[in-house]
Amino acid sequence: MGRKQKLRQERKIKNNKNSTPPAVVTTPSEATVEAASEGELSIFAILVEIDSVFPKSDEYVQATDDSQIIYGNEDNKLDNNEQYALFKQGATVHGCVHSMFLMGEGHCNHMYKYLGHPWFLEGAIRGSFVSLIGEFYLDHAEPNRNANTLYGYWGKIATNFDTRLGPKIAPNVLKHQIGRKCAICLKTDTKTFTLKQCIGCSFYCYCSESCQTTHWNEHNHRGECKQLRILHKYHKPYAKAIRDAAIRGDIHPALEKLQYKLGLTRPLEDYQEIITYCTHDGKISDPKDYVVARDDGTVWVGSIPSTACVSRK
Ligand SMILES: [Zn+2]
Ligand SMILES: [Zn+2]
């Protein structure tokens, strides 16, 4: 094992023990080599290639400078928090998608994975690492807290940007898996009975109002369906223009509106208790419940201007 590799491993162990904000220290290419299987490697390689068109903030460059990312090295000029602060500044002040990716990725080594969500989403709405947000839902959302339609949405957006980025589960396969059966009791169509589709997304089917209510309330389809509608209205028509502007280092007006509609700009007070103790309304709860969306379709945890991580110090 090389010295650098060993240090990186030690750093990982330290990060896992650490209950404070995670350090984000690997670049996408390093993450690729270390963590991904060969199949994933190629997708990551494509993502890195595609995202190389986005500008890198000075803060990102400084934080990932090779001489500075080696944890524990005497030459290391930055500790984890300083590095994290640089990424945060790169992401929030300069809209640097590379910083956003590493902020999201940093949280994935950490128990509070949902804190990575707003950063992956910030990147995705700018057209960066788009297919990762869907994978994030598959990997980190509570299975009963649905995110299948959001997975499908981001899969299509990713494919529009680059056909090599098709999602692991193609939208038509996903739809077939969900299929013509009630999302709750799995009842199917018969000659005399036809299931009803969800009016919001036309994706899920229900046999009865009672199953629909269960799906909407207990499985959080209400939040998912509403977030999907926000994306269809405020993201999809502008997705390319927002991305083109981000590549030029500009902010498209539609991006700001979308951030607001998705709740990414919500004040820190709205989610302080979630990021600190993972509680909501005073009850301790499962972090996975905070991955997808609130009842109104907005995100649980915001990104700009208040950020989760620094406040968790
Ligand atoms: Zn049913
Ligand atoms: Zn729906």
Side-chain angles (χ1 to χ4, degrees):
M1 191 187 287
R3 178 164 162 270
K4 209 166 151 182
Q5 207 179 348
K6 192 159 170 247
L7 287 165
R8 213 175 280 147
Q9 198 173 62
E10 284 168 5
R11 192 175 60 215
K12 270 191 183 164
I13 293 165
K14 183 183 156 77
N15 289 346
N16 287 341
K17 283 183 194 159
N18 202 344
S19 64
T20 54
V24 191
V25 276
T26 48
T27 62
S29 54
E30 286 168 343
T32 304
V33 174
E34 283 187 50
S37 69
E38 266 181 44
E40 288 168 330
L41 181 74
S42 61
I43 278 288
F44 261 99
I46 294 167
L47 287 167
V48 169
E49 177 207 312
I50 292 170
D51 278 9
S52 65
V53 296
F54 286 92
K56 291 182 170 122
S57 63
D58 291 346
E59 290 85 354
Y60 172 86
V61 173
Q62 189 190 344
T64 53
D65 182 293
D66 202 42
S67 66
Q68 296 175 338
I69 65 167
I70 306 169
Y71 181 79
N73 186 342
E74 290 136 34
D75 304 334
N76 188 4
K77 299 182 191 79
L78 299 171
D79 68 25
N80 294 345
N81 283 332
E82 287 168 333
Q83 190 182 43
Y84 197 86
L86 280 172
F87 286 134
K88 190 200 153 208
Q89 198 173 344
T92 55
V93 179
H94 303 291
C96 170
V97 298
H98 308 281
S99 300
M100 289 169 190
F101 170 77
L102 289 186
M103 288 174 83
E105 184 78 349
H107 285 294
C108 287
N109 298 326
H110 196 265
M111 125 176 222
Y112 296 99
K113 292 179 171 55
Y114 62 94
L115 297 181
H117 176 250
W119 297 110
F120 281 129
L121 192 56
E122 284 283 356
I125 59 181
R126 289 169 173 79
S128 158
F129 288 99
V130 174
S131 46
L132 290 189
I133 186 84
E135 306 301 330
F136 184 85
Y137 289 131
L138 278 197
D139 292 344
H140 302 309
E142 174 64 44
N144 281 340
R145 313 288 272 176
N146 283 291
N148 286 316
T149 65
L150 295 173
Y151 179 83
Y153 176 84
W154 288 111
K156 273 190 211 159
I157 295 284
T159 316
N160 288 345
F161 286 144
D162 195 299
T163 50
R164 292 172 295 172
L165 292 180
K168 268 188 221 157
I169 310 171
N172 57 338
V173 175
L174 193 68
K175 184 139 189 171
H176 182 74
Q177 280 176 4
I178 307 293
R180 288 290 300 178
K181 57 189 176 218
C182 175
I184 297 297
C185 71
L186 310 181
K187 199 180 275 182
T188 52
D189 285 325
T190 66
K191 277 182 188 162
T192 54
F193 172 78
T194 309
L195 296 161
K196 290 204 173 77
Q197 275 188 328
C198 173
I199 295 168
C201 61
S202 309
F203 191 84
Y204 293 104
C205 296
Y206 305 113
C207 73
S208 62
E209 221 169 274
S210 141
C211 280
Q212 175 166 25
T213 305
T214 304
H215 196 231
W216 271 58
N217 294 345
E218 289 168 34
H219 296 237
N220 191 36
H221 182 57
R222 185 193 304 278
E224 181 197 17
C225 203
K226 289 193 175 172
Q227 188 167 105
L228 187 74
R229 268 188 274 175
I230 294 170
L231 290 168
H232 272 291
K233 187 165 177 188
Y234 297 101
H235 176 252
K236 202 175 170 195
Y238 311 103
K240 191 174 179 304
I242 291 173
R243 183 173 190 267
D244 289 346
I247 290 168
R248 292 193 306 271
D250 293 338
I251 297 171
H252 193 283
L255 175 68
E256 288 175 304
K257 189 160 190 181
L258 175 64
Q259 286 173 316
Y260 173 75
K261 292 284 177 185
L262 287 171
L264 288 162
T265 55
R266 72 183 338 133
L268 182 62
E269 302 90 82
D270 271 19
Y271 53 94
Q272 182 71 65
E273 60 178 346
I274 301 171
I275 61 180
T276 314
Y277 303 111
C278 198
T279 66
H280 182 57
D281 294 336
K283 285 177 266 172
I284 302 283
S285 42
D286 186 340
K288 287 185 171 184
D289 287 347
Y290 302 120
V291 171
V292 181
R294 297 177 185 234
D295 279 355
D296 62 0
T298 61
V299 294
W300 282 99
V301 175
S303 55
I304 298 168
S306 321
T307 70
C309 301
V310 168
S311 62
R312 292 183 67 234
K313 267 189 201 172

